[in-house]
Amino acid sequence: MSTKSPNVVIEVVAGSDAAMIERTVELGNRSKKTLGLFPREAYFEYATKSCLLAATCDGELVGYALFRLPRNEVTLVHLCVDKPFREKGVAQLLVNEVSRRHRARLGVRAKCRDSYADIQRVWRGLGFKHLGRARGRGEDKAPMTVWWLDHGHANLFTPVDEPTELAVAIDVNILMDLHTRKNHPQAERSLVLLAPDVADRIEMVVPHGLERDLDRHSADSLSRLADVAARYRRPSGPPKRAEELHEVLLDAVRSAAPDRALTPQDAGDLWHLAETAAAGIQVFLTWDERLRSQVAPLLARLVAFPELAALRVIDPHHLVVHLDELAHSVAYQPRTLAGSSFSTELANAQSEAVLLTFLDRRGGETRQELKSRLNALARAPRSHSIVRAGDGTAVGCYASIVDDQVLKAPLLRVLDHPDADTMARYLLWTLRLEARNQGARVVRIEDPYLSPAIERAASHESYQRINGTWHSWVIEAAGSSTQVSSAVSAAQAQVGLGPAALLPPHLAPESAAQYERTWWPAKITDSELPHFAVAIQPRWSAELLGEPQTLTHRPTTLALGREHVYYRGNHPSVLKAPGRLLWYLTQDASTGGGRFIGTSLLDAIDIGAPLELHEQFAHYGVFTFADIDGAAGERGSAQALRVSYTELFPRHIRWPEYFDLIQSMDGPKQIQGPVRMPTATFAAIYELANPPKR
């Protein structure tokens, strides 16, 4: 069936109509400056799913619509009209036909850069309404608007937002295509990853095994590649597990081809796969034909090692073709919360019954009110998750929507549970982390039925109640008091508030610490807050801070708690509270060389006998009574360092990099006991550890 105007016919392109598909590819390529690169294979895949419409005039292709069908909506990928036929109603005909064919779905979504001329008039003229603000995930982070054409299904509960972004690991050749050899003809094969519809649905990460590949490049190339690699998140799993998986891969490859000797590059490639799988990443992108055709088929047979069996090794073109399938399979898998026994999962169309258990009858909420709230959420771009305890019981849920640098939380609930207060604080912290990751500067809690646990937690977490609504500020600034104040004023303006107080330089430590809690992750570098580096062994760090990661669950209070205690002997030291600790993970045979892994606020230092300290702080630390007693030694007393606002770095700063840094800055030459760290050096380490997001 087709839609006709006097001269234009709109019809579905059949998957077998290679000639017409090639014509749409050609038209799309002529418009790639606005549409982005899109692989030819993807056009054929969309056509086989009846997701490609062509507009023809007297047999000539004059436009096309390419779309996806995630969950219960339609997402326009391309709406393309040839220049001579623009503003002649062709785009409207294409949109109308897409909408008509999928009227049972909730609506049609489109996302478009704001920089395109007259774009608001175009989308509004096509019947779309403004739904929200976003930023593209390309290198320029272009501001974008999300547009929505509603089909008027008021009572459906089916989330229309797509699953959370899919993390994909990239190898060194793709890294080079994207950054160091963009103009090389071969590089275009990887640039499809920057196409708007692809870049917005994936997060490219770099596996830790990449260094083994970088070592084979020239010094100049190595330096440039190391710089661009630092821009990406570097997920890591337990080092011992990565080693184990590497051995499994070696055995599998050797068994499959016993007569073929493995080259150093082969071994490095297997390290990439092992590190990727150990980190929980389930897609590895490469153009390496041997990895994709010979090694990838072996992975599915390794069912005794689920991380490897779940790993997909594909090229970027096949990622685009199968992105919906991959994203859905990964997004709905429960994910462990901070190494605890709790897990979180993305809500779906079957989640209504579970979410209705969070009805707040005590606060007067009706079942219909909650259903209406859930239906409204189904129409907004958001993260919508359910938190479950180890036995599978739902204990919490939350939703978040980013709109013009404000992360709104229209749903935030915890049920009565022994860990309800801890869970409430953790979810509020999670919202701040999500805001930071998505470039939002404000968190605003918009759920009108907040439980007492949430209300208590909001106060603990330095949220501020303004006009009856809880707000939190997410200030991505490390600088002087003036610079931080300016950044806060800009954030407050996002929600219609006046400027923040202009902080004076040389703030007292107590004041600086409190401002930094309220404005996290802001760092006021001209305050009197002292900075210290503290060495911690991997065995204590793994359980206390969650780094390195382990395969066993951490106790709830440690994994989800917001305060921790670390013990040391009561020896004289430079430590003063309040202050800031820079955690230095010491060298270990199983975890590698020493490195800076994160930072915490030092809230207090308690001194006492081992039994006294253990009775007070047993739930907040990992030392047993015997450990504390051993630390106390002949002195008979120990120190309990009470820390909060622990922030693990996305990029660890290893000792050689730090040593290079202090060739031009002041800083301790060794870190054994606690040592003073100059504020400027801390700021430099912090900047290196938090590379700008792409």
Side-chain angles (χ1 to χ4, degrees), residues 562-573:
R562 301 283 292 114
E563 293 88 18
H564 299 99
V565 172
Y566 183 58
Y567 302 92
R568 64 180 301 272
N570 188 23
H571 307 290
S573 76

Side-chain angles (χ1 to χ4, degrees), residues 107 255 407 422 458 506 692:
S255 297
L407 184 141
T422 299
H506 310 297

Side-chain angles (χ1 to χ4, degrees), residues 425-433 461 520 562 645-646:
R425 294 188 66 184
Y426 183 81
L427 291 182
L428 287 165
W429 176 242
T430 296
L431 291 173
R432 294 182 85 172
L433 293 174
E461 286 300 308
W520 181 91
R562 301 283 292 114
Y645 281 76
T646 297

Side-chain angles (χ1 to χ4, degrees), residues 224-394:
R224 287 186 293 145
L225 285 171
D227 286 344
V228 296
R231 304 178 192 175
Y232 292 83
R233 185 165 69 89
R234 307 294 296 276
S236 64
K240 287 186 177 179
R241 186 60 171 173
E243 291 176 11
E244 182 181 4
L245 297 180
H246 182 245
E247 289 299 318
V248 170
L249 286 170
L250 280 174
D251 290 343
V253 170
R254 286 168 178 160
S255 297
D259 298 330
R260 187 183 187 280
L262 291 178
T263 66
Q265 180 170 347
D266 292 334
D269 290 340
L270 297 184
W271 267 114
H272 289 179
L273 299 184
E275 295 275 9
T276 300
I281 305 300
Q282 297 190 341
V283 178
F284 183 84
L285 295 183
T286 181
W287 291 106
D288 188 301
E289 178 63 28
R290 179 170 179 270
L291 274 182
R292 291 184 288 118
S293 63
Q294 298 179 33
V295 178
L298 302 177
L299 299 176
R301 306 174 194 169
L302 302 175
V303 291
F305 301 90
E307 304 102 312
L308 292 174
L311 184 63
R312 297 285 296 272
V313 181
I314 56 178
D315 61 59
H317 284 175
H318 282 85
L319 170 76
V320 176
V321 169
H322 299 298
L323 186 53
D324 287 325
E325 169 199 334
L326 292 166
H328 277 76
S329 66
V330 173
Y332 286 104
Q333 293 179 352
R335 298 182 182 181
T336 299
L337 284 181
S340 70
S341 61
F342 291 86
S343 62
T344 182
E345 64 188 44
L346 196 68
N348 60 28
Q350 286 72 50
S351 300
E352 181 177 16
V354 174
L355 290 168
L356 286 174
T357 64
F358 292 90
L359 180 69
D360 184 15
R361 296 185 187 277
R362 184 170 47 191
E365 184 180 31
T366 66
R367 186 179 178 86
Q368 188 55 47
E369 275 185 283
L370 180 54
K371 291 191 74 168
S372 296
R373 178 167 294 273
L374 297 176
N375 290 337
L377 284 176
R379 300 176 182 278
R382 87 269 173 250
S383 166
H384 196 168
S385 298
I386 298 169
V387 180
R388 295 185 185 273
D391 62 2
T393 304

